[in-house]
């Protein structure tokens, strides 16, 4: 039942009695109506409890779209690196049946392709967007002579990264560390940064696409 503000004016006794009776009747009807209302179902309560996106959220998503406007659509798979110009792509050579693998001369160990981390987990959209975010954040933070957490947060906010997306912002000695959650549209992109006034490093990282953001679960570049 909605409650409204009442306005009271002076009236003659007869009109006062009539209006008092009318008000009493209306009040009784209103109370009856309130008592007859059925409680909202659990599902309806759940829907009403969901907060609508804030203005900051909308601005953040708009910024992400603007930064990645030249990148492939979300979900686009990355292609294998192209072979150097003038060289044909090489395919792995399988040993004949029964043959044993030999150690390369000098005991050299051939590098093994990563099986996890941003190099593997980020799609073409996130990989491209990550390069753009790395550059804009690094250039802005590098302008700080003494990048303490408060100054770094201010710079990140000014670039459109909201507080809810900034994690692990802390100072150790002269170095300030921070991680930015850039997951959007099912992506896994995040940024891992450090700054000390002389050197600023910002790298793309990957995080699980679902669930709350947790620094303990991010994968950094090897």
């Amino acid at each position: 039942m909605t409650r409204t503000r009442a306005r009271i004016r002076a009236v003659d006794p007869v009109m006062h009695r009539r209006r008092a009776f009318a008000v009493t009747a209306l009040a009784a009807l209103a109370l009856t109506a309130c008592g007859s209302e059925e409680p909202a179902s659990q599902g309806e309560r759940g829907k009403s409890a969901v907060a609508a996106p804030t203005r900051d959220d909308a601005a953040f998503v708009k910024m992400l779209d603007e930064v990645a406007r030249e990148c492939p659509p979300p979900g686009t798979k990355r292609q294998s690196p192209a072979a150097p110009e003038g060289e044909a792509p090489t395919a792995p050579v399988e040993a004949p049946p029964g043959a044993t693998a030999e150690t390369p001369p000098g005991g050299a160990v051939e590098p093994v392709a990563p099986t996890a981390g941003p190099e593997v987990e980020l799609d073409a959209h996130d990989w491209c967007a990550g390069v753009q975010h790395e550059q804009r954040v690094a250039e802005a933070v590098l302008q700080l002579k003494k990048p303490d957490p408060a100054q770094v947060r201010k710079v990140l906010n000014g670039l459109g990264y909201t507080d809810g997306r900034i994690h692990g912002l802390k100072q150790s000695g002269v170095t300030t560390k921070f991680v930015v959650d850039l997951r959007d549209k099912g992506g896994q992109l995040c940024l891992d940064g450090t700054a000390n006034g002389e050197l600023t490093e910002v790298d793309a990282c990957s995080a699980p696409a679902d669930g709350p953001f947790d620094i303990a679960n991010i994968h950094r570049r090897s």
Side-chain angles (χ1 to χ4, degrees):
M1 178 181 66
T2 18
R3 182 176 179 181
T4 57
R5 177 180 298 175
R7 293 182 179 179
I8 304 175
R9 294 180 181 176
V11 294
D12 62 84
V14 176
M15 292 299 297
H16 178 73
R17 285 195 298 272
R18 291 178 181 176
R19 290 186 178 179
F21 176 80
V23 170
T24 303
L26 288 173
L29 288 173
L31 289 173
T32 303
C34 288
S36 63
E37 290 180 356
E38 295 181 2
S41 65
Q42 189 66 30
E44 292 174 347
R45 289 178 181 177
K47 291 179 181 178
S48 61
V50 176
T54 65
R55 183 178 300 178
D56 286 344
D57 293 334
F60 175 75
V61 173
K62 183 179 180 180
M63 180 271 292
L64 292 183
D65 292 340
E66 180 66 19
V67 171
R69 66 184 182 278
E70 302 294 336
C71 295
T76 304
K77 294 183 178 180
R78 292 172 56 201
Q79 298 179 352
S80 300
E85 187 176 354
E87 296 183 13
T90 57
V93 179
E94 297 182 1
T100 57
E102 296 182 359
T103 305
V109 179
E110 296 183 359
V112 179
T115 58
E119 293 86 354
V120 177
E121 297 167 353
L122 297 180
D123 61 21
H125 172 83
D126 279 352
W127 189 262
C128 170
V131 174
Q132 310 303 321
H133 287 287
E134 288 174 8
Q135 183 176 354
R136 71 196 301 262
V137 170
E139 289 179 353
V141 175
L142 187 59
Q143 303 303 316
L144 301 174
K145 295 181 179 179
K146 295 182 179 180
D148 59 36
Q151 290 179 323
V152 171
R153 182 183 297 277
K154 184 177 180 180
V155 167
L156 293 175
N157 289 160
L159 292 174
Y161 304 100
T162 56
D163 286 338
R165 295 286 186 146
I166 302 172
H167 302 271
L169 184 57
K170 61 181 180 180
Q171 189 169 11
S172 177
V174 296
T175 301
T176 294
K177 301 178 180 181
F178 59 93
V179 176
V180 184
D181 176 14
L182 299 176
R183 297 177 301 169
D184 183 48
K185 301 180 179 66
Q188 297 181 248
L189 179 63
C190 59
L191 288 185
D192 180 32
T194 59
N196 61 16
E198 295 182 1
L199 176 64
T200 298
E201 295 182 339
V202 181
D203 290 320
C205 56
S206 59
D210 301 319
F213 189 84
D214 187 351
I215 294 181
N217 293 332
I218 69 173
H219 292 161
R220 295 176 168 89
R221 284 182 178 175
S222 55

